Amino acid sequence: QSALTQPASVSGSPGQSITISCTGTSSDVGGYNYVSWYQLHPGKAPKFMIYDVSKRPSGVSNRFSGSKSGNTASLTISGLQAEDEADYYCSSYTSSSTLVFGGGTKLTVL
Amino acid sequence: QVQLQESGPGLVKPSETLSLTCAVSGYSITSGYYWGWIRQPPGKGLEWIGTIYHSGSTSYNPSLKSRVTISIDTSNNQFSLKLTSVTAADTAVYFCARRYFDSSGYYPDAFDVWGQGTMVTVSS
């Protein structure tokens, strides 16, 4: 199973919105509504942000939203804040009943 | 509040077996949930290693399946990872995590509680 494709980096200024893409195939992202997103700060436990493409767990800010079109899922962060600067990873269920992650995207808040 | 803590040797020799434990606090591991291991090689992305259900059934990443065993230790409320015949490619931060349970009554393919991770280096 190949890793999902994410841009290596994205950036935005405080208050702006950014979108991180996550591209897979019809055997993972495109075939199921089982995409999740995680936020990783160095040295900290990953934080669970989105599941089932667009659902937010309790406690996650509504500035974070998820969507999907075809084989590409997206995470949008609106009203960008300094503390959003982190690495973001997507994951998807696959037709092999396994889980595959993306390569990660570094978000820089300018 | 559920907390997970990984532990194990930080250095393993090539061809030997990597063994890690994830201690679970705040919840009895036998009461439910799926529990998993994920790793992150230096400078690379996350990789799912495998998942175990509280009953003991497992699923593994096909690329690692021949070398991986995940098990549950009910007496110590922890679960473990064993990875045999390690090489430098197995050098990574290893995370343990709990699979999320949606209040609607199902387990999405996502992990909601994670340990902080433990770095394991494979080197002679």
Side-chain angles (χ1 to χ4, degrees):
Chain A
Q1 56 190 30
S2 300
L4 306 176
T5 300
Q6 296 182 233
S9 64
V10 298
S11 63
S13 299
Q16 289 186 330
S17 294
I18 63 95
T19 296
I20 299 171
S21 61
C22 171
T23 301
T25 68
S26 58
S27 295
D28 39 63
V29 175
Y32 309 92
N33 289 323
Y34 300 146
V35 176
S36 299
W37 290 91
Y38 302 89
Q39 177 190 67
L40 273 73
H41 284 110
K44 289 191 171 183
K47 183 178 180 182
F48 174 47
M49 307 301 288
I50 295 285
Y51 69 102
D52 289 357
V53 175
S54 61
K55 296 180 182 177
R56 264 190 316 274
S58 174
V60 173
S61 170
N62 59 9
R63 296 187 300 106
F64 293 83
S65 61
S67 62
K68 191 186 85 167
S69 177
N71 295 337
T72 298
S74 299
L75 173 71
T76 297
I77 308 174
S78 59
L80 210 55
Q81 300 178 359
E83 57 262 36
D84 298 332
E85 184 162 295
D87 294 329
Y88 291 84
Y89 287 85
C90 62
S91 71
S92 173
Y93 176 79
T94 80
S95 59
S96 302
S97 300
T98 60
L99 193 66
V100 62
F101 283 92
T105 297
K106 181 176 180 60
L107 169 61
T108 300
V109 180
L110 303 172
Chain B
Q1 182 181 355
V2 180
Q3 292 186 311
L4 308 180
Q5 180 64 59
E6 306 89 349
S7 63
L11 181 64
V12 182
K13 290 183 168 55
S15 81
E16 295 191 342
T17 296
L18 179 161
S19 296
L20 296 176
T21 295
C22 181
V24 179
S25 59
Y27 185 81
S28 172
I29 202 170
T30 57
S31 296
Y33 284 101
Y34 290 83
W35 308 86
W37 288 95
I38 300 99
R39 70 181 182 179
Q40 183 178 29
K44 297 187 178 181
L46 297 171
E47 179 181 33
W48 173 71
I49 298 171
T51 303
I52 187 166
Y53 191 44
H54 69 94
S55 63
S57 62
T58 54
S59 60
Y60 299 129
N61 186 323
S63 67
L64 299 170
K65 189 173 183 177
S66 64
R67 300 193 293 129
V68 172
T69 302
I70 297 176
S71 59
I72 282 185
D73 178 0
T74 56
S75 59
N76 291 302
N77 208 44
Q78 61 189 24
F79 60 104
S80 300
L81 168 70
K82 289 191 187 300
L83 182 65
T84 62
S85 304
V86 296
T87 69
D90 295 310
T91 293
V93 175
Y94 285 77
F95 296 98
C96 60
R98 184 186 76 172
R99 187 168 165 184
Y100 182 59
F101 182 73
D102 186 278
S103 57
S104 301
Y106 72 103
Y107 289 97
D109 285 280
F111 294 96
D112 64 334
V113 181
W114 294 64
Q116 294 223 332
T118 186
M119 181 68 200
V120 178
T121 301
V122 178
S123 175
S124 56

